[in-house]
């Protein structure tokens, strides 16, 4: 029983010390509350800022990728349009060449048939020659 009583008294002493420790801790927490809140706010601000900067960096990287792909698309489209334009110009040049050849042949034919008709001329020359003989 003696040992139980000693333990009980020891617990009572410790209880007072423990209550005093709790009271000092609460007072210390109250005194440091504003400083701790400021520190926590700074930590949150730094963390959130880093998260936002990381998000912006990722979005910038993705935007650069999209821009690069779109510029490639525009370049390929421009090259295809240039190739089509060259092919169209070549075809137009070919058609113009054939048009000129057809016109040249037709004008020669028309000229020989109606303007400088060789058979008609031959007859006229023969008529003139016949008249001259008479």
């Amino acid at each position: 029983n003696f040992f139980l009583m000693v333990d009980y008294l020891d617990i009572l002493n410790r209880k007072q010390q423990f209550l005093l420790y709790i009271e000092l801790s609460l007072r210390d927490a109250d005194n440091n509350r504003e400083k701790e809140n400021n520190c926590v706010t700074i930590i949150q601000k730094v963390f959130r800022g880093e998260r936002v900067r990381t998000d912006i960096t990722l979005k910038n990287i993705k935007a650069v990728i999209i821009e690069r792909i779109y510029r490639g698309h525009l370049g390929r489209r421009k090259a295809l349009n240039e190739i089509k334009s060259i092919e169209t110009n070549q075809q137009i040049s070919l058609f113009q060449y054939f048009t000129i050849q057809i016109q040249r042949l037709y004008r020669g034919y028309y000229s020989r048939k109606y303007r400088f008709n060789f058979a008609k001329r031959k007859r006229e020359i023969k008529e003139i020659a016949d008249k001259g003989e008479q």
Side-chain angles (χ1 to χ4, degrees):
N1 277 339
F2 176 72
F3 291 112
L4 288 176
M5 191 61 150
V6 171
D7 287 337
Y8 177 72
L9 289 176
D10 190 35
I11 290 173
L12 279 178
N13 283 336
R14 286 187 184 179
K15 177 185 174 189
Q16 290 302 320
Q17 289 175 350
F18 183 71
L19 290 175
L20 183 63
Y21 173 74
I22 290 176
E23 186 180 327
L24 289 175
S25 296
L26 288 173
R27 197 175 320 139
D28 191 36
D30 283 340
N31 291 338
N32 292 327
R33 178 169 287 129
E34 188 174 332
K35 184 178 177 182
E36 287 178 2
N37 281 339
N38 290 338
C39 290
V40 167
T41 303
I42 291 171
I43 291 170
Q44 288 175 345
K45 181 173 70 171
V46 169
F47 175 76
R48 290 176 182 160
E50 181 61 30
R51 193 167 59 183
V52 168
R53 282 187 292 280
T54 302
D55 188 44
I56 289 171
T57 302
L58 290 175
K59 286 180 181 178
N60 283 339
I61 290 170
K62 291 174 185 177
V64 166
I65 291 171
I66 291 170
E67 290 167 357
R68 186 192 69 198
I69 290 170
Y70 186 69
R71 281 192 307 270
H73 168 72
L74 286 180
R76 285 186 296 278
R77 196 165 74 185
K78 184 178 177 183
L80 285 175
N81 287 340
E82 191 66 30
I83 289 171
K84 285 180 183 177
S85 173
I86 290 171
E87 289 175 352
T88 303
N89 287 339
Q90 287 175 344
Q91 196 171 24
I92 288 172
S93 296
L94 185 66
F95 288 158
Q96 287 175 348
Y97 171 76
F98 286 133
T99 302
I100 290 169
Q101 296 305 314
I102 290 169
Q103 287 174 352
R104 183 178 61 86
L105 292 172
Y106 179 77
R107 286 177 182 156
Y109 163 78
Y110 186 84
S111 172
R112 285 188 300 276
K113 177 142 177 120
Y114 297 107
R115 280 213 240 146
F116 302 110
N117 189 338
F118 184 70
K120 184 177 175 184
R121 238 172 151 189
K122 194 174 180 182
R123 268 186 269 129
E124 287 175 356
I125 291 174
K126 189 175 180 189
E127 288 175 10
I128 291 174
D130 288 342
K131 279 185 184 180
E133 289 178 9
Q134 289 179 3

